[in-house]
Amino acid sequence: MGFIARLTDPNIRKHLLRDEGEVIVDEVKHHGIVYILPVVETVVAAALLAWLPFVDVDLAWFPFLLALAILSHAGWKTLGHHRDRFVITNMRVFRVHGVLSQQLATMPLSRILDITVVKPLHGRLIGFGHFVFESAAQEQGLRDIRYVGRPDERDLSIQRVVQRSGLRGPRMN
């Protein structure tokens, strides 16, 4: 796997407990709404670059460097959103995120006490929501999962996995 592939792919499969029979039920990427700001930044940078031929040669370095900085920021944010994954398995939920350094937060299904799905008006209109996990541990890296596409389906998926694991109520086969 090359450098670019390693930088862009969070490689979720390496975190699975394959010997224990862990399988991915759902891998959740951010909803496309998170990419709007990087797209706007890219358009602004392109406008600055298009303006360069009309700027005095002695001052052209400033809009060029500004456009470069804006493009770098947009690329960094895009890569960060792309690498941020929330994963539901048959044993746990976990989140992997980070660009240069990677962070992994995990929670066994047995520790999930409550899931709140927050759907703001604009999220309901375009199909995203936020998850708020309550668990037996007060502080964990999985408390807030933001910009989840199809949040109702994802919530049902988690509830179904918890139910099938026999952690709550009668076991379903």
Side-chain angles (χ1 to χ4, degrees):
M1 186 185 263
F3 174 74
I4 299 297
R6 277 184 293 173
L7 190 63
T8 59
D9 180 24
N11 194 6
I12 297 304
R13 304 226 181 289
K14 77 177 180 183
H15 300 290
L16 294 179
L17 303 170
R18 293 188 189 277
D19 295 341
E20 304 298 322
E22 185 174 34
V23 294
I24 294 174
V25 174
D26 194 7
E27 182 178 339
V28 181
K29 299 177 184 178
H30 279 292
H31 187 273
I33 190 76
V34 299
Y35 297 105
I36 286 182
L37 186 57
V39 166
V40 168
E41 289 178 351
T42 301
V43 169
V44 168
L48 281 170
L49 292 174
W51 181 50
L52 277 179
F54 307 105
V55 176
D56 186 270
V57 174
D58 293 333
L59 299 175
W61 63 270
F62 182 72
F64 178 76
L65 286 181
L66 186 59
L68 190 62
I70 292 171
L71 277 174
S72 297
H73 183 262
W76 185 262
K77 295 302 277 185
T78 298
L79 189 56
H81 291 312
H82 176 72
R83 289 184 51 87
D84 191 351
R85 305 290 170 88
F86 174 66
V87 181
I88 305 162
T89 75
N90 60 328
M91 303 170 110
R92 62 188 170 139
V93 294
F94 66 89
R95 179 181 179 205
V96 176
H97 62 103
V99 177
L100 296 178
S101 62
Q102 192 175 60
Q103 297 175 359
L104 172 69
T106 188
M107 183 187 318
L109 294 175
S110 60
R111 303 248 339 239
I112 298 174
L113 298 177
D114 186 40
I115 302 170
T116 303
V117 180
V118 178
K119 294 184 285 186
L121 177 62
H122 63 294
R124 288 176 53 206
L125 293 173
I126 57 179
F128 74 85
H130 313 297
F131 283 175
V132 180
F133 286 89
E134 298 296 330
S135 75
Q138 291 301 318
E139 292 296 322
Q140 75 278 345
L142 277 171
R143 178 163 167 70
D144 295 309
I145 306 295
R146 304 191 43 84
Y147 301 105
V148 174
R150 302 184 333 268
D152 292 328
E153 292 175 37
R154 277 12 197 289
D155 180 45
L156 287 174
S157 179
I158 294 170
Q159 299 301 334
R160 197 173 294 116
V161 170
V162 168
Q163 187 71 24
R164 286 183 180 151
S165 69
L167 295 171
R168 293 196 188 86
R171 187 178 173 97
M172 294 173 44
N173 290 323

